[in-house]
Each structure stands twice: as structure tokens, then as C-alpha cells.
Amino acid sequence: MTLVETSVDMTTALGSVPLAGPVLTASGCSAFGQELEPFVDLATLGAVVTKSVQLRPRSGRPTPRMAETPSGMLNSIGLQGPGIDGLLAGELPWLAERGVPAFVSIAGTRVEDFAELATRLRGVPGVLGLEVNISCPNVESRGEVFACDPVAASDVVAAVRAAADPAQPVYAKLSPDVTDIVPVARSVTEAGADGLSMINTLLGLVIDPDTMKPVLGGVTGGLSGPAVRPVAVRCVWQVHAALPEVPILGMGGIRSGLDALQFVLAGASAVSVGTAVFSDPSATARVHRELAAALAERGFSSLREAVGHAHR
Amino acid sequence: MTLVETSVDMTTALGSVPLAGPVLTASGCSAFGQELEPFVDLATLGAVVTKSVQLRPRSGRPTPRMAETPSGMLNSIGLQGPGIDGLLAGELPWLAERGVPAFVSIAGTRVEDFAELATRLRGVPGVLGLEVNISCPNVESRGEVFACDPVAASDVVAAVRAAADPAQPVYAKLSPDVTDIVPVARSVTEAGADGLSMINTLLGLVIDPDTMKPVLGGVTGGLSGPAVRPVAVRCVWQVHAALPEVPILGMGGIRSGLDALQFVLAGASAVSVGTAVFSDPSATARVHRELAAALAERGFSSLREAVGHAHR
Amino acid sequence: MTSYLTEPAPKADQPPVQREVEVVSAAPAGAYVQLALAAPEVAERAQPGQFVAFAVGGPMTANLLRRSIAIAGTDPGAGTVTVVVAPHGPGSTWLAERRPGDTVDVVGPLGRPFPLPAPGTTALLVGGGYGAAALVGLAGLLRSRGSRVLAVSGAADAARLCSVDDLGALADRLEVTTDDGSAGRAGRVTVAVDELIGESGVAYACGPMPMLRAVADAATAAGVPSYVAVEESMACGIGVCMTCVLPVVGADGLTRFSRSCTEGPVFGGDRVRFADVGALPWDVVGADAMGVVAP
Amino acid sequence: MTSYLTEPAPKADQPPVQREVEVVSAAPAGAYVQLALAAPEVAERAQPGQFVAFAVGGPMTANLLRRSIAIAGTDPGAGTVTVVVAPHGPGSTWLAERRPGDTVDVVGPLGRPFPLPAPGTTALLVGGGYGAAALVGLAGLLRSRGSRVLAVSGAADAARLCSVDDLGALADRLEVTTDDGSAGRAGRVTVAVDELIGESGVAYACGPMPMLRAVADAATAAGVPSYVAVEESMACGIGVCMTCVLPVVGADGLTRFSRSCTEGPVFGGDRVRFADVGALPWDVVGADAMGVVAP
Ligand SMILES: Cc1cc2nc3c(=O)[nH]c(=O)nc-3n(C[C@H](O)[C@H](O)[C@H](O)COP(=O)(O)OP(=O)(O)OC[C@H]3O[C@@H](n4cnc5c(N)ncnc54)[C@H](O)[C@@H]3O)c2cc1C
Ligand SMILES: Cc1cc2nc3c(=O)[nH]c(=O)nc-3n(C[C@H](O)[C@H](O)[C@H](O)COP(=O)(O)OP(=O)(O)OC[C@H]3O[C@@H](n4cnc5c(N)ncnc54)[C@H](O)[C@@H]3O)c2cc1C
Ligand SMILES: Cc1cc2nc3c(=O)[nH]c(=O)nc-3n(C[C@H](O)[C@H](O)[C@H](O)COP(=O)(O)O)c2cc1C
Ligand SMILES: Cc1cc2nc3c(=O)[nH]c(=O)nc-3n(C[C@H](O)[C@H](O)[C@H](O)COP(=O)(O)O)c2cc1C
Ligand code: FES
Ligand code: FES
């Protein structure tokens, strides 16, 4: 497939960086892109959002790491990954060679971790920008998740923005598990975030009827998939209403072009497809195609025109 | 069917009031019980939890009032109902005549509204207790929902507990849309709640691909059904872990006996079946039957033994 | 206070049942699929104007809500119920794909049936699209009670016409209309209704909301009572969820948000405030508590 | 550093495809159902030990995750792939209910195939339950390369035995065991494995984890390299989700949480740390970053 099947101009941007198309992978849901190669032309992706990387290699949590739930799943991977050295040596060059832009998701448990990761990623070829996964426990605040506290969240974002390559946009990835997402969005934007990724998973728990204990070793896990889509669209809607100038990378349960359209109409200028890739490895390409067709049918000549249209 | 098909003792309690069985309807999901009569023997229900009543009759919101979502639905009914006078004149006597206990859900937009409702319900025959729906906008606090603020929530509960019949347990119904549900649970318990109902719906939004506007007139609505079950079980788990002595009426996506078992193992001593009634009008009776069988298979001789078992 | 031509439709004679039933036949019918179900208890209880609600998608379905479908016919002898399904979204498409031997979970009969006029009254029956199917049983019943039956079946095009043969066999007169003229007279059902309403003592209509409104208005203007079977989005079909409401004027002259599943789907045509469907007029009972003030 | 008998299994020769395919036959086989699928591109690429992943539940399904099923046989001429399904939860039950003419969405072949020994090496193949089916293709391939094939098919009872006829036809010797003695010799597969491992130059196993462990241990104790096809809960099957990991010792002697879908399902039997499956041993690469400290 090629990027342009319809007359609709599907180009968009992440902050100041132009993207050929609006459909990205979601962090942790397509590893580093390699495994999708048999199923999709990676060049058709707006970008590969990489699995969140930390400073050191991480084993991740013991299994079981997932539970299927109605129209969704719970996961508790524990950010298994190669660490920043591994990423710089292996995955990023692989993507760069193929001309596939990488939106690198970074994670840490201290503000300084995030800043160091941003420093290490300055000027790295093919790194289009950074997505800051602040849905991690903050070791300096009794393990409270950064994303759940506007101050902690903005500390991380300010440090990353200061350390990062100025040419790389910095997106803060927000958690829906807050009483009001707008103050968090406002505070990270004021701290310098060039855009917002929404949403990360919801905190959930499944009890195994056989063992009568939580399925996941980590007790709770992150809920994703179509089940959470109405929550995700609501978050995008609320934040776009409050901060219409802030670009949004929307995600949470996108499976089809019409699902993606909901996010675009609510205010997202690009979308990530996460869990749907597990059920359909070619989902990203299909969503792109279906979204382009849906926009054309509705008389849009460009994706940009449709962004936030439901508010008008 | 009769209440006891297995040897398992299924009796439980709401606060100090004994219940013949642990399966109740959910507020707003079985109206006032009448319509279920063709499908279930109402006497097999632990209680009918009535649609939240306010002081005055309410028309509710204009349609569309719902949208189907993956494994769930979004609703925005707007608490259509007869008002307390209508309830006292019509629905409560109907239930009392049939010996069906009513757990009356009350709602308001001011602390005094709640207190007045509790006063009006003192000593009313068949009224087993009160469920306080604090997921309503507080008109005195720029429309912020009571349940999202531990102080506002506990003000309501304290006023209701003070006004209510001492023989009627008062349960506070909590919203999952908070950064941390435990402080809210703790504060309403300290304010006198005899138990907690968890969870109310999650705030969601669906955009209609045809009109390209939110489906619901009220823009956002409440997400319910199996999609939210992992969030609900997580809330019950967290609160039971923090406040093991506080009785919990668990709900959120219960469709089967094994679903109900998850809530019981997580810490609920009774459960409400809500959205599942729309797909299966006899769901409450079936869930009771399946839960009894599941407990028997697992070697429990009483429901009470299983409450909170997953924490042990 | 305005006076109304219609009395609110009373409840059905018998309560509904919930059953897992077998599909005994499935036949395409133009743009639709006609399914016959082995559902003796539903067949024996059903009255014209009532509907059934199907669970859709099978045991692993993500679509929880039942789909309401009008009862197009019953054969209490054979124990069967017939429905006509228009594939539209995922639920009705799934239903339309059922084949003989498949089972479906059904609740019914639901809702209030069409009230019957004094024996012998001439009745006008107007069906739009698959809505015509819901009138076949009514036509038979009216005939058996000595009514003269005038029927109109209309649709966008020939493929969307429904029950033309059945109504043709039962009615004393049948007019067929299509918007595009591909069958019968070109135009809306109203072209026929305007001609026939004068001869009628009562009118019945089933079909899309704009059609119901046109028939109700024509009947009311002619001083003829009318009953319409509305089609509102329903989550439960049994009266417990309050999603299916529309503003209807009650016997006391007050407008309430009435549940189309249990207080309808059949309402007096002069009692449905069609112009206010989807709105919250100030004079609906309880609108004041929603903050709506009289203008 | 311990030295290992096995080299890690290399990748498959060809990448997988994703196709909507038709079921061409469905036959009960004891406690299982054997399905044949018209999937020429999968048939032509598949190597013994690989698996396919099915979408389950139909278009309205609430169960999003694919179900992994071992390839039990391929007929590249006919373009068909065979699988043996044990109805267990909702997904496998749905699969087992498919009938000829139904279509299913399949991704495959997935995972790494069994590495082959030097031509002529005597091979011991051990299948537990439906796991035996995954060894049929391997038996044929080994025979064609001049190996002597010794096979063991074991199960809890006679109904859960699988591929006994196929393996009997291909193997030079077949032992059948059942836990309850309802067919073959009474007892676990290990009673036969202990007898045959001495004659073997390599062992292969597919079945439940405790069986894999027993076979791997027996082989290692006898100084025989072994390859096991593990069965871990998988969300994606293609290597992107990291749910399916288990601790495996790599070529460098370090233990990593390896993905059973893309780095397996076939692992050297002496490389899988069976005792630590479901745990996080301190010496797994990256365990330190999780806060696990060396004892
Ligand atoms: C009393 C009554 C009688 C009906 N009789 C028939 C009939 O005889 N034949 C027929 O083909 N259809 C009939 N319908 C319409 C039918 O119920 C809808 O077309 C069907 O529910 C659409 O479901 P879906 O999954 O295909 O579409 P979707 O649009 O995906 O449905 C999503 C949700 O909206 C609801 N919904 C969507 N459209 C409608 C609608 N027009 N009316 C009510 N609910 C809707 C569905 O129930 C579902 O909950 C009737 C509806 C009602 C209320
Ligand atoms: C490489 C591989 C090969 C397999 N080969 C076969 C085969 O040939 N025949 C066969 O009948 N089964 C096979 N299985 C097991 C089969 O995948 C599971 O039985 C099936 O996924 C269970 O799904 P369910 O919906 O029936 O059960 P559920 O318990 O409802 O499944 C829920 C979730 O857990 C996962 N899961 C549950 N049990 C298992 C399991 N034992 N292994 C992996 N995932 C599981 C499912 O994929 C699903 O995501 C194989 C599994 C793997 C990993
Ligand atoms: C298995 C799995 C692993 C994930 N890992 C990460 C991660 O490493 N970093 C991150 O920011 N989000 C992670 N997520 C969250 C997704 O990126 C995404 O925000 C969320 O799943 C909602 O989108 P979806 O419903 O399309 O999956 C993960 C999700 C899943 C299901
Ligand atoms: C249509 C509908 C109406 C509801 N009305 C109320 C209500 O009036 N008061 C209330 O406390 N909760 C109300 N709820 C929430 C339910 O009582 C319940 O908390 C929630 O739906 C989760 O349970 P479920 O998934 O089993 O439906 C309503 C839910 C639905 C779907
Ligand atoms: S559909 Fe639920 S009340 Fe009418
Ligand atoms: S199943 Fe997803 S990585 Fe193996």
C-alpha cells in the first residue's frame, strides 16, 4: 500500500516535526517495529513509538503478565527492555536505516533519569522526538505515579525539555487515572511539553477464579483496548477544549478508521494504535487507509481540517 | 427458583441489616423492580436498589441518552424519576407489599437535599437502607462532583447519616474517576458511612461518525458494563485492603457468577448487577445461582468466608 | 387544555418471556431478511404492534444491548414468530445472517399493542419500509373483527418495500408507493394517505419517524384518531433503563418523557410531540428540576 | 560457566502471513477437534514446531487476543494446514466449533521450528496430549533425512491421546502411555522416555510444561540434546507485546526473559529454566533494575 489512496492530505505533525501520516504505533505495543515488517510497510507509519526505555536494561516482571478482559486486556510487563545503550546500539539504527522515524518513549523513576535519557537521545539519527512516559512510580514520592500529580509531572517534563535536543518535540503521556486531567495537561504544557499523548492504560485488576488470587504477579495492571476508548476520547475532548493550541497524539482502544476519526474529531492531530496490533498485526496500515477513506467520505480535503471538528 | 440450591449459606448483610442473598440490582439499571417481575422472582433478590431519587420529579435529559460501546455502554439519563413524593406514594409501597426490600438511592445537588431525602425516608416500611449517590455535580462547588472531593463527599454522608433513620444503614456510592479512591473511602467512612458501594460509572464520550458530534446531548456520559469490570475490581480490592472492616457492595460489569466471585474475593460482601440486566433480564437470579455454585465448587460453606479471600 | 382524539394504548394482555429459540427459516425479502423462529410462548402471547428483543453477536459478543425488532407475524398453531430484519449496523447484520438451526436469545412479546377500534370501523394502515411487516397481523385481526382495511406500503425503492403480498391479500385496498417510483406510485406514503384518510375511522402507522409524523398529522387534521409505533434507540426493551423516552402527552394532558418500550412503542399519533423528540421542552414534567425555565 | 548441549533454535526460513482462510474439514478426534484450513501460503512456509494464531469469536467478539495453536500438519500440494484444538476456554471452544465453509483469520507460520540433527541421527519425539500432533510433521521430515524415529505419545486418558495413528505410521517405534492406563502403558511418558533416551541422539518434546521439563531433564541427564516447544500465555504471538516470556539461557550463558512466540516456542531443553518459570530470578538480565538483588 502507499500512503495516499485518497485525495485527502493525510500529513500532520508532532509539534514542529512534520509526519507523512497520522497513524503511529503505541509505546509497548509494537516493540521497536521490527516484528511488524512482515505485515505492514513500516514506511507508511507516521512513526514507530518505541517501547518505553529506561537507563538500564530491565528484565520486566515475572509472568503471568496479562489477562484478557472484555474488549480489552490487562498487562503488567514491567517495562522489559534493553536500556538506553541497547536501544542506541540496536533498535534505533535499524529503524534509521529503513527511514522509519522513531518517537522514543522514555521512562524513569527519578526526574534525573528522564533528563539523562533525553540527553543521550540528542541528535540521534532518526529520532523524531520524545514521548515521556510519566505513568511510572516516582521513587522520591512513596511510589506515587508522576502522571497523577501535576507538580511531579511538570518537573519531569521541564527537565526533559531542558535536556532534550531542541529539534526534538517532547510529548508528555498522560494517565487517565486522575480526578481531573486538565490541570495535569495544563501544568506539563506550561513546563514545556510540545504536545500530549493520551491516554496511558487505566489501573485494573482481574482475579483468577481458579487460584482465587490476582492473575498478575504485580496484582494490578494496565487496562487497554476498545473497552477504554470512551474514556480516552473523553480525555482528548476535555484537554482539547481547555487547551486548543496543544497538539494531541490520541490513543486508547483504536481498532478502525472510524475509531481514529473519533479521536481526530475530538482534537487529536495524530493517533497511536496499541492493543489492536495484537489482534491484527496490520492494524496500523488498515487504520490509516480507513481513516483516509472516512475523511474523504465526509468531505474533508485534509486531516488537519478535521482535527477538533466535533467542538465546532 | 428458590434462594438455596446449594449447601452454601448465601446470607449476608448491608451494614447491620441482614440480607437473604448477596445479589442486588444496581441503581438506575432495574428502575424500581416492577419490570423484572416477568423474569425473576423478586424475592430472590438481596434487595432492589432503586433508581436515584431526588426531591423533585425530574424529566431527565433529552435523547439520545445512550451509546453502545465495546463490552459496555455510555448513558446520560439525567436521573429521570418521580421525585421523593412519587416514590413514597407509588414504588416503595409496591415493593413493600411484595416483601421486596428496597435499598433507596438518593441524589441531590446540595448537602441539604440529601439530608432532607434521608429524613423523608425515615421509618418507611420496606426501606432497608440508603445508598447515597454522590456522583452528582455539587452546585455549590462549580459543579464539581461530590464523589471527587473527599471533603464534599464526607459532608454529604455526615448529613445523611445524621438525618437518616438509625436502623437504616447508609452506603456511600463512590466514583472511580479519582486519582486515589482510598482517601475518599476513608473520609466518607469517618463521616459515618456504614458501607461503600463501588463503583459508579466512568466518565466517557463517544463521537458519532455520522453527525461528527458527541452522541449524547450531555456530551459526556457514564461508562458501564463488563468493559469497566477490571477497574471496579481494582477499586474494591484497594479499599478492602485499606479498610478491611468496611462492608462493600461491589458492582461494575458483573454478568456472571464468576464475575461476582471476583468482587467477593476482592472484598465485597454483596454485589449489584447493573448493565447486564439490559442484555439478560433474568441476570440477577442467574448470577445468584452461579455464584452459589462457584462457591460450593471451591469448597466454601458460606459466602461470608469468601469475602476478601484473595487478600489472604 | 387541548382535547385528544386518542386514548393512551393500554398494556398488553400478557407479560413477556425470555427464551433461547431456534431459527426455522430465513429468507431474503428484497433488502430485508425474513426469519421465522420456533417460539411458541411468544407466538401465543403476541398482539399486533408488539416487538421482540434479540441478544446479538453470539456467546463472545462485545455488543451487549438487545436489538428490538417488530413482530411481523405469528402462527400460534405452528408456534412460530416471524420478523423482518433490515441489515444496518453490526447487530441487525448479525441477525440477518442467522440460518435455520441457529439459536437466538429472545425476549418478548414486548411493548403495548395497537388498540383496536369498535368492530366494523374502517382502518387505514400505513407502513414505511420494513415497518409494513408489523401491520400484517393487525390487518388480519381487524378484518376478523369486521373492519374494512385500507393499506399503504411505501418505501424508498422497490427493494425496500415490505409485506406487499401479505397486505394485498388481507386488505380491502392496498396502495404501494416508492420515493423513486421503482414500484407502485412515485412519492411518499402521504400521497395515498391523503386520499384514504377521509374514509377511515382510525389510522395506524409503523415506519420511520418522519413518516409517522406525517400520518399522525394527516389523521389529526382529518379528525381521525391514529396510533403510531415509534422506533427509538433502546438499551433494555423492558422498561428499566430510561434510554428510549420521547415526549408524549398523557391522559391528563401533561407531557412526560415516556418509555417507548413499555409505555409504547404504540402511542396515540396526536400525543407524540414529534417536533420535540430529542429536545427537552420546558413543559415536560420535571423539566423545571433540570433547570429548564418556561419561556 | 556450564556448557550446554543445545544451540539456540534459529529463526524460521520465511516470515509469516496474515490471511482470512476457509475451514475445509472439521473432525472430532477423541477429546479434540481436528481442523483443516485452506491456507496455501501458510502451508508452503510452515516448518515443524511452528504455530499459527487465530482471531476468535467472529466480527463482534469481545475477546481480542489471538489463540496460538500448533501446526499439526501441512499439505503444500493441497494448500492445507491442519491443527488439533482442545476446547478449553471461550476461544478454543469457538475454534473447535468451526465447520467446513466457515472462515477464520489466521496469522502464521509463527515461531521458530525444531532444529534438525545431522542426517541419520536417531531422534526421540515425545508428545503429551494434543502436543503429539505438533510432532507428526517433524517425524516425517526426520525420516526423510534418514533418522530413526522413536516416538512416545502420552496423555491423561485414551480420549486425550493424539496422532497415535499418524505417529505409528511414521515412527520406527511408538510407545503409548496414559496416566490412567485406559490405553497403552499405564503411567507418564517418562516410563517410555527413560527406556528410549539411551538410543537417541536428540530428543524433541511438545506438551504440558511439567512433561517438557521431565523430558528435558532425562535427556540432559543422558547427555542427549533436547528441544522443547513451550506453551506460554500469549497476547500477540508475533513478538511485540512481551507477555509470553520465560527465563531461558542464551548462547552467551546469560539468562534472559525470552519471548516464547518469536525466540521460541522451541527452546533447547537444557536452556529453559523450568523451575523459575513465573518467577524473577536475580540472575536474569535486567533483574537488578527491577530491584531484585543477588542473594
Ligand atoms: C420497537 C422497535 C421495532 C423495530 N423493528 C424493527 C424491524 O422490524 N426490523 C428491523 O430491521 N429493525 C427494527 N428496529 C430497528 C432495530 O432495532 C435497529 O435497526 C437495530 O437495533 C440496529 O442495531 P445495529 O446493531 O444493526 O445498529 P447500530 O447502529 O450499531 O446499533 C447501536 C445501538 O443503537 C440502537 N439502535 C440503532 N438504531 C436504532 C433504531 N433505528 N431503532 C432502535 N434502536 C436503534 C441499537 O439497538 C443498539 O443498541 C426496531 C426498533 C424498535 C425500537
Ligand atoms: C505455541 C502454542 C501452541 C499451542 N498449541 C495448541 C494446540 O495445538 N492445540 C490446542 O488446543 N491448544 C494449543 N495451545 C493452547 C491454546 O493457545 C490455548 O488453549 C488457548 O489459547 C486458550 O484459549 P481459550 O480462549 O480457550 O482459554 P482462556 O483461558 O479463556 O484464554 C484466555 C487467554 O489466555 C491465553 N491462554 C490460556 N491458556 C493458554 C495456554 N495453555 N497457552 C497459551 N495461552 C493460553 C489465551 O491465549 C487467551 O489470551 C497452544 C499454545 C501455544 C502458546
Ligand atoms: C502490553 C502493553 C505494553 C505497554 N507498554 C507501554 C510502555 O512501555 N510505555 C507506555 O507509555 N505505554 C505502554 N502501554 C500503553 C499503550 O502505549 C497505550 O497507551 C494504551 O495501551 C492504550 O492504547 P490501546 O488501547 O490502543 O492499547 C502498553 C500497553 C500494552 C497493552
Ligand atoms: C442506564 C444507567 C443508569 C444509571 N443510573 C444510576 C443512578 O440513577 N444512580 C446511581 O447511583 N447509579 C446509576 N448507574 C450506575 C449503576 O448503578 C452502576 O454503578 C454502574 O452502571 C456499574 O455497574 P454495571 O456495569 O453493572 O452497570 C446507572 C447506570 C446505567 C447503565
Ligand atoms: S429501552 Fe430501556 S426503558 Fe425502554
Ligand atoms: S506473545 Fe506477544 S511477544 Fe510473545
Side-chain angles (χ1 to χ4, degrees), chain A residues 297-312:
Chain A
E297 274 169 31
R298 285 160 185 75
F300 291 105
S301 62
S302 74
L303 171 82
R304 284 170 204 262
E305 279 167 41
V307 175
H309 185 274
H311 295 264
R312 292 195 280 269

Side-chain angles (χ1 to χ4, degrees), chain D residues 13 16 28 30 58 71 91 94 99 102 119-120 125 134 150 163 167-168 173 180 188-189 223 225 230 232 239 265 278:
Chain D
D13 297 334
I71 296 172
W94 182 89
R99 293 294 160 259
D102 289 349
L125 278 54
L150 314 175
S163 305
L167 286 173
R173 181 169 163 192
D180 67 354
R188 308 256 159 187
V189 289
V230 304
E232 268 292 328

Side-chain angles (χ1 to χ4, degrees), chain D residues 30 35 115 138 192 263 285:
Chain D
L35 298 178
L138 179 65
E263 296 164 76
V285 171

Side-chain angles (χ1 to χ4, degrees), chain D:
Chain D
M1 196 175 120
T2 344
S3 71
Y4 287 86
L5 297 166
T6 57
E7 284 298 308
K11 285 195 183 175
D13 297 334
Q14 292 187 68
V17 296
Q18 175 182 13
R19 293 290 180 269
E20 181 88 22
V21 303
E22 194 175 309
V23 176
V24 292
S25 74
Y32 313 121
V33 174
Q34 176 159 336
L35 298 178
L37 311 165
E41 290 145 301
V42 181
E44 135 203 314
R45 290 157 186 244
Q47 297 172 260
Q50 290 192 282
F51 64 95
V52 289
F54 293 101
V56 294
M60 297 172 75
T61 188
N63 294 69
L64 302 176
L65 305 179
R66 283 182 184 261
R67 270 44 177 180
S68 298
I69 303 287
I71 296 172
T74 58
D75 183 338
T80 55
V81 171
T82 310
V83 293
V84 174
V85 180
H88 165 71
S92 51
T93 302
W94 182 89
L95 269 179
E97 288 167 354
R98 292 312 88 200
R99 293 294 160 259
D102 289 349
T103 57
V104 285
D105 181 312
V106 67
V107 172
L110 293 166
R112 302 189 175 204
F114 288 114
L116 300 176
T121 309
T122 298
L124 172 61
L125 278 54
V126 188
Y130 58 73
L135 301 172
V136 175
L138 179 65
L141 187 58
L142 288 167
R143 280 297 297 264
S144 73
R145 291 164 44 102
S147 281
R148 204 176 147 237
V149 173
L150 314 175
V152 182
S153 179
D157 55 38
R160 289 190 178 78
L161 281 171
C162 193
S163 305
V164 170
D165 294 347
D166 288 342
L167 286 173
L170 288 164
D172 296 274
R173 181 169 163 192
L174 172 68
E175 294 289 334
V176 172
T177 65
T178 52
D179 298 356
D180 67 354
S182 54
R185 290 158 66 174
R188 308 256 159 187
V189 289
T190 38
V191 301
V193 169
D194 290 341
E195 286 170 21
L196 300 171
I197 192 73
E199 306 171 40
S200 311
V202 59
Y204 297 96
C206 186
M209 289 298 254
M211 189 209 87
L212 300 184
R213 183 178 185 174
V215 176
D217 287 352
T220 305
V224 174
S226 65
Y227 287 97
V228 298
V230 304
E231 197 183 300
E232 268 292 328
S233 192
M234 296 180 174
C236 76
I238 60 165
V240 297
C241 74
M242 314 301 286
T243 59
C244 62
V245 302
L246 72 181
V248 176
V249 184
D252 58 3
L254 298 180
T255 302
R256 290 181 183 77
F257 271 162
S258 299
R259 289 163 296 177
S260 55
C261 62
T262 41
E263 296 164 76
V266 173
F267 292 105
D270 54 353
R271 294 183 177 274
V272 176
R273 289 175 53 177
F274 287 104
D276 293 322
V277 170
L280 173 46
W282 68 271
D283 60 343
V284 169
V285 171
D288 53 341
M290 304 299 296
V292 179
V293 285

